[in-house]
């Protein structure tokens, strides 16, 4: 149907097995807290074990699973434990990211490579880990946290922006490939959210949200079965219009807006 959601609705999180990768801080931690409060069984992964334990504290259905997304063997071992204990997952959300505000003349190639590995390449490792079981069962959800920085080239996002543009493209491919096989795919494009990641920005961030607001938007979008979950809409809609403009107008407007 023309206006129905692209994914099935997921009205209840209670009892769902959710793997949040990048759950030690910011949006991932807020997603974990809200899902735990609703009774989901949540696996919390990232590198900082103590930060994960703080998020999980007081929730017996939380499971802290430290993981460096750049380590393929760690993915394999983590998922083997999950299968042994919980027989798989219902949803994975890829939240891990690396970001450094930098103009094009400031990029250090080794750091650029690292950012692309964390933000993009590691998602392929994660997908290879969980997809075979999801496909065999014909059920499961995959969420990619991209960004409005992937909508178009924005200054300072010289490495981060292309990694997020690639995630948007990847989510579209995943939806096309997997929807007919019973899997849900969610593309999350937040505007600015106040986290450790954006604390590095020394420019003003319009329509800044809290991680809790972002997490509420994301869970609401997943509940409603949306494919693209973007927020805050007063900001993302402006960018979506800019995205449609011919380059001459877009560049002129962007430089006026962003200086
Ligand atoms: N904040 C924003 O304005 C904004 C806007 C659009 C999109 N996003 C996206 O939202 C997601 C969450 O970002 P955030 O703003 O919440 O930032 P954040 O607080 O810095 O969270 C980043 C998460 O990634 C994890 N991580 C980084 N490298 C990792 C690695 N090698 N292995 C495992 N985990 C790793 C970090 O945990 P450890 O350090 O413990 O490993 C942390 O949990 C990211 O995808 C980001 O690009 C954020």
């Amino acid at each position: 149907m023309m206006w129905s959601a692209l994914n099935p609705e997921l009205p209840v999180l209670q009892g769902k097995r959710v793997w949040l990768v990048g759950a030690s801080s910011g949006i991932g931690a807020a997603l974990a807290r809200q899902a735990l409060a609703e009774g989901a069984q949540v696996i919390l992964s990232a590198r900082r074990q103590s930060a994960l334990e703080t998020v999980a504290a007081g929730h017996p259905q939380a499971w802290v699973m430290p993981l460096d997304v750049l380590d393929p063997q760690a993915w394999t071992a983590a998922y083997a434990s999950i299968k042994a204990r919980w027989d798989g997952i219902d949803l994975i959300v890829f939240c891990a990211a690396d970001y450094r505000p930098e103009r094009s003349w400031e990029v250090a190639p080794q750091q650029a490579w690292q950012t692309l590995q964390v933000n993009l390449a590691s998602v392929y490792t994660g997908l290879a880990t969980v997809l075979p079981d999801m496909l065999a069962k014909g059920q499961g959800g995959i969420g990619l946290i991209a960004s409005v920085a992937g909508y178009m080239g924005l200054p300072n996002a010289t490495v981060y922006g292309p990694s997020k543009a690639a995630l948007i493209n990847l989510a579209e491919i995943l939806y096309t490939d997997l929807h007919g096989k019973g899997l849900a795919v969610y593309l999350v494009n937040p505007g600015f959210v106040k986290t450790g990641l954006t604390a590095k920005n020394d420019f003003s961030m319009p329509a800044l949200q809290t991680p809790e607001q972002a997490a509420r938007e994301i869970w609401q979008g997943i509940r409603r079965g949306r494919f693209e979950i973007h927020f805050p809409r007063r900001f993302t809609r402006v960018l979506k219009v800019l995205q449609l403009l011919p380059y001459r107008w877009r560049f002129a407007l962007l430089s006026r807006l962003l200086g």
Side-chain angles (χ1 to χ4, degrees):
M1 278 206 284
M2 189 69 180
W3 300 112
S4 62
L6 293 180
N7 290 301
E9 292 183 4
L10 187 72
V12 181
L13 280 181
Q14 188 171 20
K16 293 282 182 282
R17 300 158 300 173
V18 180
W19 192 2
L20 297 173
V21 180
S24 57
S25 58
I27 299 170
L31 281 173
R33 287 196 182 94
Q34 291 176 16
L36 287 164
E38 286 193 36
Q41 295 176 252
V42 180
I43 303 140
L44 298 96
S45 289
R47 291 165 302 177
R48 288 170 294 159
Q49 181 164 357
S50 61
L52 293 172
E53 279 164 0
T54 304
V55 179
H59 295 284
Q61 80 280 26
W63 184 2
V64 168
M65 175 86 67
L67 170 76
D68 183 337
V69 294
L70 298 183
D71 179 352
Q73 285 170 351
W75 276 100
T76 307
Y79 190 61
S81 307
I82 294 168
K83 269 195 84 168
R85 189 162 147 194
W86 284 358
D87 190 35
I89 54 170
D90 298 299
L91 172 68
I92 182 166
V93 185
F94 293 92
C95 312
D98 187 31
Y99 167 68
R100 213 162 281 101
E102 53 205 344
R103 303 308 294 258
S104 46
W105 52 86
E106 293 169 333
V107 171
Q110 192 57 36
Q111 279 185 342
W113 187 89
Q114 169 90 7
T115 299
L116 293 171
Q117 293 292 310
V118 173
N119 296 11
L120 178 61
S122 77
V123 174
Y124 290 97
T125 317
L127 287 173
T129 307
V130 300
L131 259 183
D133 273 348
M134 286 189 177
L135 286 171
K137 291 178 182 166
Q139 74 98 34
I142 296 162
L144 304 187
I145 306 212
S147 168
V148 296
Y151 283 174
M152 69 191 84
L154 298 174
N156 284 302
T158 315
V159 180
Y160 180 82
S163 77
K164 295 300 182 176
L167 284 182
I168 293 173
N169 189 295
L170 174 59
E172 293 167 1
I173 293 167
L174 290 176
Y175 186 86
T176 307
D177 270 358
L178 302 176
H179 178 66
K181 299 189 184 303
L183 273 55
V185 178
Y186 310 98
L187 164 63
V188 180
N189 287 321
F192 290 111
V193 183
K194 196 172 177 355
T195 66
L197 198 122
T198 45
K200 300 167 192 161
N201 289 340
D202 61 3
F203 51 89
S204 82
M205 294 180 272
L208 187 66
Q209 291 199 306
T210 64
E212 291 70 32
Q213 286 173 313
R216 272 195 296 277
E217 296 270 9
I218 294 167
W219 285 128
Q220 186 185 69
I222 290 176
R223 250 183 228 109
R224 293 181 177 170
R226 293 208 171 112
F227 169 66
E228 191 195 5
I229 301 166
H230 61 98
F231 54 85
R233 292 196 167 219
R234 66 186 188 282
F235 180 56
T236 54
R237 282 190 179 128
V238 173
L239 292 177
K240 280 178 179 289
V241 171
L242 277 180
Q243 200 182 17
L244 296 174
L245 295 178
Y247 277 120
R248 180 181 303 278
W249 295 357
R250 192 208 290 183
F251 287 147
L253 275 169
L254 270 180
S255 78
R256 194 178 282 192
L257 284 173
L258 303 172

